[in-house]
Every structure is written in structure tokens, then in C-alpha cells.
Amino acid sequence: QVQLVESGGGLVQAGDSLRLSCALSGRTFSSKTMGWFRQAPAKERAFVAATIWSGGLTDYADSVKGRFTISRDNAKNTVYLQMNSLKPEDTAVYYCAAGPLFSGTKLRDSGRYEYWGQGTQVTVSS
């Protein structure tokens, strides 16, 4: 089992920045791929960003490309999502997810991730 705990959400104004953290514990060696997803009210969960532990591969949704950066600290078993130039449409619950190694378009498929955090709320006011 792998446990994921997100933190760093909050209420900010448009244009501000936030950094989300996702701390992994448990059988972390089985979690090769890490992703961030978000779910806004009355909307389906949507892909935000993903990375793999072993290399520099990253992927971003078009809506956040150039504003958000996913990174990892292998020593701390923590994945981050740096969010800059936040917009009201970024308001959502953000979830961290972990899964086995995969790449390409599979990174955006929430069904491939095995473990999920509880989510952290990000609210961006205009």
C-alpha cells in the first residue's frame, strides 16, 4: 500500500502562486509515476500534470502549460506542483496520484493510477 498526503492548498487571488506538496509513504518503490489531477464543482476529474520518478519526463494539460511545474524530491518521497499566475478557473480540489511506470498519453488517464490522496482545495478569487 502507498499513502499519499497532499498539502499546500488555500485561498488566493488571481495572479498569485501556490505550491502543493504530496508526501508518499508505504511501498513507495512501486509508485513510478506521479500525477496531479483536479476536480472543479460539477465537473469531472481532469488531468493537470504528471512525472516519473526515474527521469525528467513530464506532461502538462494545455490549460496549465507554462504556468504550473511538477517536480519531485526523491530523498523526501515528495512531489510538488508549483502553480503560478493562478486564474479563477484553476479553482478545484487537487489530487495527487501514484501508479506503476507508464508514459505517453497514459499519463493523463486517471484510471491507470492506483493510489490517491484525499485532495486539497485551491480557490482562486478574481
Side-chain angles (χ1 to χ4, degrees):
Q1 283 282 19
V2 175
Q3 292 79 42
L4 307 175
V5 178
E6 301 104 331
S7 61
L11 171 62
V12 296
Q13 293 185 331
D16 286 350
S17 297
L18 274 177
R19 188 178 79 160
L20 305 183
S21 300
C22 174
L24 284 76
S25 61
R27 297 170 59 89
T28 59
F29 62 87
S30 65
S31 299
K32 308 297 185 184
T33 304
M34 300 299 302
W36 285 96
F37 292 77
R38 66 186 181 186
Q39 188 165 18
K43 292 189 176 180
E44 294 186 352
R45 190 169 296 186
F47 170 76
V48 176
T51 188
I52 59 173
W53 283 109
S54 60
L57 176 66
T58 58
D59 189 24
Y60 297 93
D62 289 344
S63 59
V64 307
K65 199 171 294 183
R67 300 188 298 123
F68 291 11
T69 302
I70 188 170
S71 63
R72 64 201 183 278
D73 185 329
N74 292 2
K76 295 183 178 180
N77 282 332
T78 300
V79 176
Y80 304 98
L81 185 68
Q82 177 68 43
M83 305 185 295
N84 298 329
S85 302
L86 282 163
K87 305 175 181 180
E89 51 264 42
D90 294 319
T91 295
V93 177
Y94 283 71
Y95 297 91
C96 176
L101 182 64
F102 45 85
S103 61
T105 57
K106 296 176 183 178
L107 291 169
R108 303 186 176 206
D109 182 357
S110 62
R112 295 188 176 272
Y113 292 82
E114 296 177 332
Y115 303 101
W116 292 82
Q118 81 288 351
T120 185
Q121 176 71 46
V122 172
T123 303
V124 184
S125 63
S126 57

